[in-house]
Amino acid sequence: MTPQSSPHPAGRPALHPLRFSYGTNGLTDLRLDDALSLLADLGYDGVGLTLDHMHLDPLAPDLAARTRRLARRLDELGLGVTLETGARYVLDPRRKHGPSLLDPDPDRRARRVDLLIRAVRIAGDLGAHAVHCFSGILPKEEAGRPDASDDAAWKRLAEALTPVLDAATDAGIPLAVEPEPGHLLATLDDFHRLRTTLGSPDALGLTLDIGHCQCLEEQSPADCVRAAAPWLRHVQIEDMRRGVHEHLPFGDGEIDFPPVLEALAATGYRGLVSVELPRHSHAGPQLAQQSLPFLQRAARPTVPGGGPTASEGRTP
């Protein structure tokens, strides 16, 4: 299965160049095969697969065999895939997202590095178009200290990512770092700081979460897309309000989606655009069913003399 191949069956033309997926972190109450079957039946182009204990557990035995079975199933269903590494407790059952790439303990930090390298290898076996990751938050004992401590944290992040980028280079799969509110790397400017520190390696790309742009970037989400275009390797999408980091179903926030999707299409982005609702698994099947038509309506070209209405993808 090639990452850029069209999953649409013969006779079913794509309405637009964008390819929509749904994140399994919003379907955690479903078995993985049930989740994949649901997304294929609904007409999604792919899946944002979070490596976690309830789905493809990266630490359980027989990983290679399980990955091969999953690759066959994705191929049967015509689903593309992005590898997500934001599982809350996959490494530490007591600390959310721990250990991170910023952990002061080098042994704990190495566990996160190992997970990311595993993710790159799995991505190669699945034909994924990118591997997502994020920096993590600054440890409590370092938060609020002078800038020298901040510089040390950035150095630690760059050093931790170096072997992961080496693995990504060897695999030919980009590592797409996500700016995450509250993390050390929280904004597009922060991404560029990391990129510059690392010497702009080809394997380093960007995961752009459209809701995060609404939450805290100075530019509009559509302008963020255009600014990020040269480095864009993965996109997550959901609704959100300004200044509030809460992933919301489409229509419950403030984002005007047609300009965002128009900007994505205009930049030539051809990776997956993945719905990201990790706190809504209790209603995952229903939200998956509702989200795809919303995005398809929002992505339709504007008709001369008219335009999308609120029911066509514009948040009321």
Side-chain angles (χ1 to χ4, degrees), residues 26-175:
L27 296 169
T28 56
D29 294 313
L30 276 66
R31 297 178 183 89
L32 180 56
D33 191 63
D34 291 339
L36 298 178
S37 297
L38 170 71
L39 298 181
D41 289 346
L42 291 175
Y44 281 90
D45 300 292
V47 59
L49 175 62
T50 295
L51 299 177
D52 209 346
H53 63 88
M54 78 290 291
H55 288 150
L56 186 62
D57 188 340
L59 304 180
D62 302 321
L63 177 61
R66 290 183 288 115
T67 301
R68 286 193 296 270
R69 288 196 295 271
L70 177 57
R72 289 194 295 269
R73 186 59 176 152
L74 290 169
D75 195 55
E76 290 169 0
L77 296 172
L79 293 173
V81 61
T82 306
L83 260 289
E84 305 253 3
T85 62
R88 293 184 179 95
Y89 297 101
V90 69
L91 292 178
D92 188 331
R94 293 175 176 82
R95 295 175 59 187
K96 180 181 176 182
H97 297 315
S100 80
L101 294 168
L102 299 174
D103 198 295
D105 185 330
D107 291 335
R108 287 180 55 80
R109 197 161 64 243
R111 293 180 61 205
R112 177 62 60 174
V113 172
D114 176 71
L115 176 67
L116 295 181
I117 292 175
R118 283 174 182 247
V120 169
R121 292 169 181 162
I122 294 168
D125 292 338
L126 296 180
H129 76 80
V131 172
H132 149 278
C133 72
F134 44 53
S135 69
I137 63 174
L138 196 65
K140 290 181 180 180
E141 58 268 31
E142 298 180 2
R145 289 184 183 177
D147 290 343
S149 178
D150 185 64
D151 290 342
W154 280 101
K155 181 180 178 182
R156 190 184 309 150
L157 176 62
E159 290 175 348
L161 282 176
T162 296
V164 186
L165 287 165
D166 289 342
T169 299
D170 291 342
I173 296 173
L175 183 70

Side-chain angles (χ1 to χ4, degrees), residues 197-220:
T197 299
L198 288 166
S200 301
D202 291 341
L204 181 64
L206 173 71
T207 292
L208 188 69
D209 187 301
I210 300 304
H212 295 173
C213 297
Q214 177 71 19
C215 178
L216 82 167
E217 294 285 356
E218 293 184 2
Q219 301 181 85
S220 71

